[in-house]
Amino acid sequence: MEKEKFLYESVYEDLKQQISRGSLKTDERLKPENELAEEYQVSAITIKKALSMLADEGVVKRIRGKGSFVTAAPAVSENVVETGTDGDTAKEMIGVIFEHISSSFGLEMLYALDRQAQNAGYRLFPCFSYGERDIETEKIQYLRSIGVKGLLVMPVHGRHYNTEILKLVIDEFPTVLIDKAMEGVPLDSVRSDGELCTRQLVDYLYQKGKRNISLITVDERDTSSLIERKRGFYQGMEDNHLSAQPECVVPCMNYQDSFAVYGDIYRKLIRKYLQDYGKQLDGIVCSEYGVAMQVELILEEEDLKDSIEVCCIDENYIGPDQYQMTHIKQDEEKIARCALEVLLKKIHGEAMEQRDYLIPGIFVQGK
């Protein structure tokens, strides 16, 4: 591990220096990854890690199918202390690792965290794991190596915990989980109250006269947010004295290829499910907006859209044609504020008992 870490950081530093010196100019395309691997005599994954670090800093932009392009020369080396206009030293950093973000969830939280970190005198350093545990491990190691004072982590889906997160606990490094919890791991978690969210959606459908309601969700893989949403759905059905229809479960996938996530795999499974059960349903609760989006398209294709109402967690919050579906919007602003407040207390050494912070969602009526 130490050798591999040394290799990819060496490649990263060398490419960064070439860009800083002007040997590689803005908008210039870097050599293909296989050529870089041959040039540096390292593995392809080492090159990918180095390029990923440069991309996280905004020094290069990686375009699928085209390669990596220089976007800007780094202003200063990571080892140089920046100074502001008033001569003060640069702000200390807080790292945040997102699994992914989109217009339906995460983007607003990122903006809110950045604003609040600045107001608290810190600079936010965001990274992404794309649902890959190896990348999550790399980001944690990298952020600690550059001296961040604390970490906010949206942990990767999975049946087994990342040992790098467990090291954060052992080292008593200030860390707060966002969006998910890790059962048995003594880390504070700030996330939506998933049980309450899906219970509210079942209540809404019941009040609309729907009685044959099903759940379409993603394979939970011991992921707390999905487990809680599923539990809330069945609790809502029980509270309203309803028998749940057979559920549909689509596979959990990483976010390296968003077209795969919301593409043929989901559509095939959902279409088969609706062909089997659609005529006996009048309501569907979807655990994620990406799933609900595909359900709506297939309902229209199967001529079932007028007879089945779909609601979900989150929706599209960018663009003119918003809020087609009734949904529960996760309160990203409040999650960000709470998570940062808890993390800052840890950074400042305040004694706190570990706890879960469950943030209620916001009910939004669709069109």
Side-chain angles (χ1 to χ4, degrees), residues 124-361:
L124 193 72
F125 196 119
C127 295
F128 300 90
S129 69
Y130 306 105
E132 297 283 357
R133 179 157 296 160
D134 289 346
I135 298 177
E136 180 181 66
T137 295
E138 173 199 328
K139 301 302 182 185
I140 293 172
Q141 292 173 345
Y142 174 68
L143 288 171
R144 293 189 69 177
S145 75
I146 65 173
V148 298
K149 298 300 180 182
L151 281 174
L152 298 165
V153 181
M154 180 188 290
V156 168
H157 288 286
R159 299 194 186 283
H160 305 287
Y161 293 156
N162 189 340
T163 55
E164 203 63 34
I165 293 179
L166 300 180
K167 287 180 185 177
L168 295 172
V169 177
I170 294 170
D171 295 343
E172 297 184 345
F173 190 83
T175 305
V176 174
L177 302 177
I178 51 176
D179 186 51
K180 302 182 186 74
M182 297 174 68
E183 186 176 355
V185 178
L187 285 175
D188 296 282
S189 168
V190 182
R191 61 191 191 277
S192 296
D193 189 337
E195 284 193 48
L196 177 60
C197 289
T198 44
R199 286 209 320 269
Q200 287 177 298
L201 292 176
V202 173
D203 289 344
Y204 161 77
L205 290 173
Y206 181 81
Q207 291 163 12
K208 291 287 295 290
K210 310 298 182 182
R211 297 296 182 266
N212 300 301
I213 305 169
S214 74
L215 173 70
I216 300 184
T217 186
V218 178
D219 178 17
E220 56 210 45
R221 293 176 62 191
D222 289 345
T223 302
S224 63
S225 55
L226 293 172
I227 292 170
E228 289 160 0
R229 292 175 192 182
K230 184 173 181 176
R231 189 161 57 222
F233 170 81
Y234 286 104
Q235 185 62 57
M237 296 294 287
E238 183 179 331
D239 291 345
N240 288 292
H241 308 289
L242 297 175
S243 297
Q245 298 298 311
E247 66 181 37
C248 175
V249 180
V250 297
C252 177
M253 303 170 71
N254 68 36
Y255 299 87
Q256 296 282 18
D257 187 346
S258 59
F259 294 105
V261 175
Y262 303 136
D264 292 341
I265 296 174
Y266 278 18
R267 281 194 289 272
K268 181 179 179 181
L269 291 170
I270 293 169
R271 180 175 287 107
K272 177 67 167 59
Y273 172 77
L274 290 173
Q275 288 171 347
D276 291 343
Y277 300 103
K279 291 184 179 178
Q280 67 194 54
L281 300 176
D282 56 15
I284 294 175
V285 174
C286 295
S287 65
E288 293 185 351
Y289 170 64
V291 173
M293 185 170 58
Q294 298 302 323
V295 172
E296 285 277 278
L297 291 172
I298 296 167
L299 285 176
E300 189 165 3
E301 293 173 5
E302 300 291 329
D303 199 26
L304 292 168
K305 194 165 184 179
D306 291 338
S307 59
I308 301 175
E309 181 167 358
V310 179
C311 53
C312 59
I313 307 295
D314 296 320
E315 237 255 37
N316 177 30
Y317 301 116
I318 295 179
D321 198 23
Q322 299 182 53
Y323 310 151
Q324 292 296 315
M325 288 173 279
T326 294
H327 64 282
I328 302 293
K329 181 186 187 305
Q330 297 187 74
D331 196 337
E332 298 180 51
E333 180 84 28
K334 189 172 289 186
I335 292 171
R337 183 168 65 250
C338 178
L340 197 64
E341 286 177 356
V342 174
L343 183 64
L344 289 174
K345 288 179 180 179
K346 288 177 172 289
I347 291 172
H348 298 152
E350 296 183 30
M352 298 172 59
E353 289 187 10
Q354 183 267 326
R355 58 169 288 190
D356 290 335
Y357 299 81
L358 299 177
I359 310 299

